Amino acid sequence: MSDITIIGGITADIEGNPYGQLARGESNPGKISIAYGGVGRNITENLARLGADVAFVSAAGNDFVGRAAVQELKQLGVNIEKVSLLDDENTAMYLSILNIVGDMELALCNMDVLERISIDFIHDAMKVLKASKIVGIDANLTEEVQDFITRKLHDAGIPVFLDPVSAPKAERAKKMIGRFHTIKPNRGEAEILSGLSILNEEQLRGAGRWFSQQGVKRIFITLGSGGVYYKEGEREGIIRPQAVHLVSATGAGDAFSAAIMDAHVKQMDIEETARYGMAAAAVAMEAKTAVNPKMCLESIDEKLRKGIFNLSLLNNNVLIE
């Protein structure tokens, strides 16, 4: 059994960039790229690269994309015992065609396989989940499945972590928010989950207090370039980044989520955890891919040694960035 178990999806992101103006009904020359994605998969890969003892629960098609994605995680040391490759499904894919200026012209997504992560599917993995020190889920899972997971694990005393993924997806977790031990919404997702406006630091503190009153033990609300607000019990604050080398912000949130769960297993305090998460996000932003292949404890330690963050006192008159 593993210290950390992640439940989520595997996707393949396929992107086409034409060399010239798109011609409808024609074969357009251009550059095509493919990369593995999925919030759950990305968090799992980050954890593996940090040396965590991690298992992944997911479903994908028994096709070359699904098999290759699972094999890569296995090679990184992930326990893939509860990843099912299904003969009658395709691996989840997102296909986008951009135009000459880089804007999306057309997209097609096939996420049907993620619906196969059902209550029965989770029930089959429950022994693995209940043996974990923390279980992470992303809000791509249906509300019914999230309700089942959080109810069973809350009753068993197993901490559950939530990555809300997006504001629309956050709605799925709203009714069961008090069963989560740790959450990591951004400001918009936190507004959806709490029903509160968060326009300044006074309201940010109010949202943190509301989540705490619902039963959430650890709260991390990410603020984009403004850093992260954290709260556990009476301890709260904001950690703001100094200059960060930005190649792509894609995947920074997934790296932060991974670091939070790794920190839980390592029994870091709330401020240490927030700094650890920010450092992981900073490493993630130095690569074009969703997961930086250079993600490791040494890279995070280097960021922490450089002191690239400021601890900010809450000021009720400062607007959130």
Side-chain angles (χ1 to χ4, degrees):
M1 302 299 177
S2 301
D3 288 341
I4 305 170
T5 301
I6 306 299
I7 310 169
I10 297 171
T11 67
D13 299 323
I14 306 170
E15 184 178 89
N17 292 271
Y19 293 142
Q21 293 286 352
L22 280 173
R24 296 279 179 171
E26 301 289 341
S27 177
N28 292 268
K31 182 178 180 181
I32 300 172
S33 62
I34 182 169
Y36 300 129
V39 172
R41 193 218 69 87
N42 292 346
I43 292 173
T44 301
E45 181 181 342
N46 276 296
L47 281 164
R49 293 188 181 279
L50 292 176
D53 179 12
V54 58
F56 190 37
V57 177
S58 187
N62 189 14
D63 48 31
F64 78 93
V65 177
R67 291 192 296 270
V70 173
Q71 184 61 29
E72 179 180 75
L73 291 177
K74 183 179 180 180
Q75 289 174 347
L76 287 169
V78 175
N79 178 346
I80 57 165
E81 175 188 348
K82 294 301 179 180
V83 179
S84 293
L85 295 176
L86 307 174
D87 292 330
D88 58 341
E89 293 282 4
N90 298 320
T91 297
M93 294 189 189
Y94 179 81
L95 169 64
S96 61
I97 304 295
L98 309 184
N99 57 30
I100 194 172
V101 296
D103 293 329
M104 187 183 73
E105 191 75 15
L106 183 68
L108 187 67
C109 65
N110 175 7
M111 302 292 167
D112 295 350
V113 69
L114 301 183
E115 298 297 320
R116 299 290 288 272
I117 305 178
S118 62
I119 288 177
D120 288 341
F121 189 94
I122 298 300
H123 188 271
D124 183 62
M126 192 55 66
K127 184 177 180 181
V128 173
L129 303 183
K130 288 185 175 180
S132 304
K133 294 180 180 177
I134 190 167
V135 172
I137 69 172
D138 69 57
N140 283 307
L141 301 175
T142 66
E143 184 176 335
E144 180 184 40
V145 169
Q146 289 186 55
D147 179 66
F148 178 78
I149 293 169
T150 55
R151 186 160 35 84
K152 291 292 186 182
L153 296 185
H154 187 267
D155 290 347
I158 306 300
V160 182
F161 166 85
L162 172 70
D163 188 316
V165 178
S166 68
K169 296 289 177 63
E171 284 280 1
R172 300 180 180 183
K174 190 172 182 178
K175 294 178 182 177
M176 62 209 76
I177 193 66
R179 298 182 200 151
F180 291 102
H181 178 278
T182 304
I183 60 171
K184 191 228 71 180
N186 62 26
R187 182 164 62 94
E189 293 159 0
E191 289 181 328
I192 294 293
L193 289 168
S194 66
L196 302 172
S197 294
I198 305 174
L199 300 177
N200 56 50
E201 291 184 4
E202 180 180 9
Q203 293 176 337
L204 181 63
R205 178 183 286 174
R209 189 163 52 246
W210 184 88
F211 283 120
S212 183
Q213 289 168 350
Q214 306 314 302
V216 182
K217 299 296 187 294
R218 285 190 159 193
I219 300 120
F220 300 90
I221 301 176
T222 57
L223 308 170
S225 61
V228 63
Y229 163 83
Y230 63 86
K231 178 176 175 62
E232 182 179 29
E234 297 302 315
R235 295 184 66 182
E236 63 179 353
I238 295 177
I239 293 179
R240 301 190 184 278
Q242 296 179 23
V244 176
H245 176 57
L246 176 63
V247 174
S248 172
T250 300
D254 300 337
F256 194 104
S257 293
I260 288 173
M261 283 180 277
D262 191 39
H264 174 85
V265 172
K266 292 175 177 175
Q267 299 182 324
M268 294 184 188
D269 69 27
I270 186 69
E271 187 179 316
E272 287 178 309
T273 299
R275 290 182 184 276
Y276 190 56
M278 288 286 285
V283 173
M285 288 189 286
E286 294 178 346
K288 290 182 179 180
T289 52
V291 179
N292 189 342
K294 294 183 179 179
M295 178 66 69
C296 60
L297 291 176
E298 289 76 12
S299 296
I300 290 179
D301 287 343
E302 181 182 357
K303 300 293 183 191
L304 294 172
R305 283 197 303 271
K306 288 182 177 179
I308 60 173
F309 314 116
N310 290 324
L311 178 62
S312 173
L313 297 175
L314 292 170
N315 181 336
N316 293 345
N317 298 315
V318 177
L319 293 178
I320 302 300
E321 295 183 41

